Each structure stands twice: as C-alpha cells, then as structure tokens.
Amino acid sequence: SSRSTGSGDGGTVQVSGRSLQLSTNSEVTTATALGNGGNLSLNLSEILLLRDRSLLNAEAGGAGDGGNIAIQA
C-alpha cells in the first residue's frame, strides 16, 4: 500500500513476480487524501487471483484524479 495523508499525490505501487494471489479481504492499494491517486502496476508472468472480497484500488481524495491500474499477466 501507498498512502498520502497530506496534499501530495499518492505513490506508485509496483508488484513483479510469477503470480499474485489475494484472499479474504486482502488489498493492494494506493490512495491520497487531497492530491491525485497513485498508480498500481502489476507485472506477473502467470496468474492474478483475487478471492473473497479482495481488491485492487487506486483512489484519489478531494478533487484529484484517480490513479491508473495496469495489469500484465
């Protein structure tokens, strides 16, 4: 996770590997309170699996733009 609680933009979260499996309310997220949302980049050679209310999120608060989510699997 990456989070900005001030006026700055959210940070970028990058995940690389063979696979990513999230389960039971797991999250990969980037968020900001006032600036633009950070980006989320997943570079996986095989599989991305989300189960049981898990999520990917690139969120902006206030008037900022949401971040991008890029998935290569």
Side-chain angles (χ1 to χ4, degrees), residues 2-41:
S2 171
R3 183 171 306 272
S4 172
T5 57
S7 60
D9 292 342
T12 296
V13 174
Q14 296 179 341
V15 178
S16 297
R18 191 178 78 201
S19 63
L20 178 63
Q21 298 181 29
L22 303 177
S23 61
T24 314
N25 297 317
S26 298
E27 295 182 18
V28 177
T29 184
T30 178
T32 182
L34 296 173
N36 293 320
N39 297 317
L40 177 56
S41 175

Side-chain angles (χ1 to χ4, degrees), residues 41-67:
S41 175
L42 305 178
N43 186 0
L44 308 169
S45 61
E46 292 187 16
I47 189 168
L48 171 63
L49 179 63
L50 284 77
R51 293 184 175 175
D52 300 322
R53 297 169 304 281
S54 296
L55 64 91
L56 304 173
N57 186 31
E59 178 181 345
D65 293 330

